[in-house]
Amino acid sequence: MDKFYYIYTYGCQMNVHETEKLAGILEKRDYKRAESAETADIIVFNTCCIRESAEQKILGNIGAVKPLKKKNKNLIVAVCGCMSQQKEMAANLKKKFPFIDIVFGANNVEFFGEYLDEFLKQRKFVNQVIDDKSYIENIDKINVVRDNSLYAYVNIMYGCNNFCTYCIVPYVRGREKSRKPQEIYGEVKNLLAMGYKVVTLLGQNVNSYGLDDSTDGVDFAQLLDTIANFDGDFELRFMTSHPKDLSDKLIEVMAKNDKISKSLHLPVQAGSDKVLKAMNRSYNITHYKNLIKKLRQAIPNITLSTDIIVGFPGETEQDYQATVDLVKEIKFHNAFVFMYSKRKGTIAEKMEDQVPLNVKRERIHNLLQIQHEISTKLFENMVGSTQRVLLEQENNLYYIGKVQCGKVAKISKANTKKLDLGKFYDCTIIDYKNGNLIGRVD
Ligand code: SAH
Ligand code: SF4
Ligand code: F3S
């Protein structure tokens, strides 16, 4: 009889990609993808703990599995990812949800198959949270079942050394470790041969690639340059870049290679030097603005996005206004704004002057509104320009795809020749309506 799996995925692209590895491991063991958790023989929660709200949602969803387990005694429930990597979390989860069968951490997704085999043999709780990710060589051997046939993620490094004071990632993902360039080149070439069109290189801080001395001297700019020179019609993206070490060399490589996306995500986090210092971000606003200036000079059509935290401990009204001023000045195409959330074990957890929830709410609401107006204007200004669009779907009226910054673009079939899905087209933007770009391909 067929066996089915269902994976809940939370958090960032790193987790989305790790779910593709978990799916690969399960499919190798003859499990097939289930339409819903209700019809699965194994349910996996690939978790995130970046903010408290993420954790609350996950705990709620794990709790909701209890009746399924009651109905089907053989149902296997596994929890993995960043949340389970936290100290004592495995034991706490088991106490709260005794029906959980397997817990493992973000550092050892690659071994899920072995944990599953162990559970199937002994039918006893498996708890495998390992601190060290010292075996990244194994990753290449994993069969990855990708979710999308056009967009692919490729890990170039794991972990983070930055210890921004609010952030739990360095505690759950460990220290930075770069993959060998040859392995990355091999994986990307394979993906291009399979027809993938957009390759996104992933790391918590891609600009530190190679600083751990494990890449035979290849740094991020070189890695990017080499891949951008591979044959084929594709686009190369990367995330996330930390402003502290985005080099001039990288800007140069981005500017000269057509295949590198001209859309960049560059988290600023706050607009006040005082707050940036308390966050341990290692740059100030002058440095950030200078970077933006250099990027815009070298790549005039660049689109920028960012992450911002409001309500970091000690953030005064004046500090917050500095963030508002920065957002108004830089004009990001997109900004992901978060309310500061206290994370256990981080330095900011112990800081005094925590900002009350109602103030954080007011600030996020206000900033999102300001950003919405800016985004709308910028996309309206795109009307008349030419943008590269990768077509993904069609309906009766439109071909539908995305431009480089991720914005949806629709091309009316009425005034365009026949187009192929899965291909890039240069598209003239003729309107911006209901949050979508409308274009024409001549
Ligand atoms: N490595 C990436 C992003 C990691 S997390 C980087 O450094 O940019 C993604 C975003 O979540 C961060 O950029 C930050 O804005 C936000 N974030 C991280 N910890 C947070 C916390 N404790 N509270 C609220 N937002 C947080
Ligand atoms: Fe977290 Fe900072 Fe590392 Fe990003 S760079 S993962 S925000 S500690
Ligand atoms: Fe969340 Fe872990 Fe990513 S905490 S944001 S899934 S690195």
Side-chain angles (χ1 to χ4, degrees), residues 150-169:
L150 296 173
Y151 292 83
Y153 292 127
V154 173
N155 281 122
I156 63 163
M157 57 192 299
Y158 300 91
C160 181
N161 289 357
N162 288 324
F163 289 94
C164 302
T165 53
Y166 50 80
C167 186
I168 199 161
V169 172

Side-chain angles (χ1 to χ4, degrees), residues 263-427:
S263 183
L264 181 71
H265 184 62
L266 197 61
V268 65
Q269 310 298 0
S272 133
D273 283 344
K274 183 196 94 190
V275 173
L276 286 175
K277 191 152 195 275
M279 287 177 163
N280 190 30
R281 287 294 287 180
S282 325
Y283 56 84
N284 58 24
I285 286 304
T286 310
H287 173 81
Y288 190 85
K289 284 188 190 167
N290 200 17
L291 267 184
I292 300 289
K293 199 167 139 199
K294 282 198 263 185
L295 282 159
R296 284 184 165 150
Q297 256 162 14
I299 312 161
N301 58 344
I302 195 167
T303 52
L304 297 162
S305 60
T306 200
D307 289 346
I308 291 169
I309 296 176
V310 294
F312 184 80
E315 184 187 71
T316 61
E317 196 50 40
Q318 202 184 355
D319 295 323
Y320 170 67
Q321 274 311 320
T323 302
V324 171
D325 292 344
L326 183 85
V327 162
K328 286 183 174 166
E329 184 181 331
I330 305 238
K331 297 192 172 62
F332 299 101
H333 275 70
N334 203 357
F336 301 89
V337 186
F338 309 105
M339 284 191 282
Y340 167 73
S341 167
K342 231 187 203 183
R343 301 286 64 204
K344 215 166 155 205
T346 61
I347 293 168
E349 182 202 4
K350 306 263 161 18
M351 287 181 182
E352 283 163 18
D353 302 328
Q354 296 280 336
V355 175
L357 184 62
N358 61 331
V359 177
K360 288 197 257 195
R361 284 212 175 112
E362 217 172 279
R363 289 181 186 168
I364 193 171
H365 180 76
N366 181 251
L367 190 56
L368 283 172
Q369 207 161 355
I370 293 167
Q371 179 57 41
H372 181 71
E373 283 164 26
I374 294 170
S375 297
T376 306
K377 275 218 182 79
L378 290 177
F379 287 114
E380 281 169 358
N381 288 348
M382 263 191 193
V383 174
S385 70
T386 303
Q387 303 288 330
R388 223 158 97 99
V389 181
L390 176 60
L391 294 184
E392 289 171 63
Q393 339 162 18
E394 61 183 318
N395 59 26
N396 289 342
L397 298 175
Y398 295 105
Y399 293 110
I400 302 163
K402 288 194 205 99
V403 295
Q404 289 199 332
C405 68
K407 196 72 171 167
V408 170
K410 293 174 155 188
I411 296 163
S412 166
K413 287 184 167 174
N415 51 10
T416 303
K417 60 185 179 196
K418 185 174 172 349
L419 305 175
D420 296 324
L421 300 186
K423 281 201 177 147
F424 291 105
Y425 288 95
D426 281 334
C427 160

Side-chain angles (χ1 to χ4, degrees), residues 10-12 15 46-51 54-55 58 80-83:
Y10 309 87
C12 61
N15 257 22
N46 188 10
T47 63
C48 167
C49 55
I50 198 81
R51 283 169 286 274
E55 285 198 327
I58 295 165
C80 65
C82 291
M83 187 173 134

